[in-house]
Amino acid sequence: MKLKWISVVLIGVLLFSLVTSTAAAEKQALQDEIIYDLLVDRFFNKGIQNDIQVDSLNPNAFSGGDFAGLSSEMQYIKDMGFTMVSIGPVFSANSYDGKEVLDYQQLEPRFGTEEEWQEVIEKVHELDMKITIDLPTQRVSNDHMWRESNPEWFSENGDGTVALDTSNPEVQDQLIDRFSTFVSKYKIDGIRLQTADELDPFLSNGFLKKSKVFVTFIY
């Protein structure tokens, strides 16, 4: 089977404007990390069995990058001197960048299986690196699985996506519970909250208290 390289979206050292859940010394340690930032879909397509409605010639479509491709090239990332891998959203979504989330409980099938995702994490840790995952909440899919039963949890963005009302205690409980479970199940080292300036402070504090991993914020 012929392997296909897919361009990386962002590679390099990221300088974060962030707050973390760690103590001061640990904050400095996080800032000292050399971070490789990527989207699974735009990294490396190793297998064709999960290429569902993939079009690598369309910049707005899924290109085929998958978990198997990521784990197979993790040594390459390590050899370049990176100490942390920051991965875009991996949940079932309508968009290749993972932001238009459909279901926080399901991994994006185009990326691969739970077992393949676990292999990515194990490979990262085997190489003595850390892994952090993006959590989008403010530009999720209009077809998000919570929308039908809890329409009051959402507001329209005007671009075809919707935002979760993170000031709603029920939404806070759902997000914190889901991602605390996700972190525990897969042994993720950190969570990155996108559009942090649009999030309710109580939600952010809830993640800091319950996640037991470092939490970074992108504004």
Side-chain angles (χ1 to χ4, degrees), residues 13 33 43 49 53 67 76 87 96 117 124 133 141 164:
V13 180
E33 299 285 356
F43 188 71
Q49 70 277 2
Q53 296 180 331
F67 295 142
Y76 170 74
I87 299 179
Y96 73 85
W117 173 232
V124 169
I133 303 298
S141 173
L164 277 162

Side-chain angles (χ1 to χ4, degrees), residues 17-188:
S17 296
L18 55 81
V19 179
T20 76
S21 60
T22 56
E26 292 172 329
K27 288 182 184 179
Q28 185 59 46
L30 178 60
Q31 292 171 359
D32 289 341
E33 299 285 356
I34 304 174
I35 302 170
Y36 189 102
D37 195 39
L38 64 90
L39 297 177
V40 176
D41 181 70
R42 293 300 199 253
F43 188 71
F44 183 29
N45 185 1
K46 186 174 183 181
I48 62 172
Q49 70 277 2
N50 47 22
D51 286 356
I52 307 165
Q53 296 180 331
V54 162
D55 183 359
S56 61
L57 299 180
N58 182 349
N60 296 314
F62 283 86
S63 291
D66 48 36
F67 295 142
L70 181 52
S71 60
S72 72
E73 301 304 319
M74 197 59 65
Q75 184 66 55
Y76 170 74
I77 297 175
K78 173 70 172 181
D79 290 345
M80 287 192 293
F82 293 95
T83 62
M84 180 183 289
V85 181
S86 175
I87 299 179
V90 297
F91 316 102
S92 176
N94 272 338
S95 58
Y96 73 85
D97 60 7
K99 293 181 180 179
E100 294 184 30
V101 177
L102 291 163
D103 186 352
Y104 292 119
Q105 289 187 296
Q106 300 293 326
L107 296 173
E108 171 51 50
R110 295 176 182 86
F111 296 167
T113 65
E114 288 190 12
E115 291 75 19
E116 289 168 327
W117 173 232
Q118 188 64 58
E119 288 176 9
V120 172
I121 299 162
E122 290 174 357
K123 188 65 176 179
V124 169
H125 291 155
E126 177 186 319
L127 294 171
D128 196 27
M129 294 190 292
K130 299 181 180 69
I131 183 169
T132 183
I133 303 298
D134 278 10
L135 168 54
T137 63
Q138 300 304 290
R139 299 293 184 275
V140 301
S141 173
N142 189 49
D143 297 318
H144 193 286
M145 68 167 297
W146 292 345
R147 188 104 193 272
E148 184 175 353
S149 57
N150 301 100
E152 72 280 5
W153 290 4
F154 297 86
S155 62
E156 300 280 350
N157 284 323
D159 61 356
T161 65
V162 292
L164 277 162
D165 177 9
T166 58
S167 67
N168 185 318
E170 293 181 322
V171 173
Q172 294 171 1
D173 289 344
Q174 284 289 330
L175 288 172
I176 292 171
D177 180 68
R178 294 289 172 87
F179 285 94
S180 296
T181 300
F182 181 84
V183 165
S184 176
K185 178 177 180 178
Y186 292 111
K187 310 304 179 186
I188 301 297

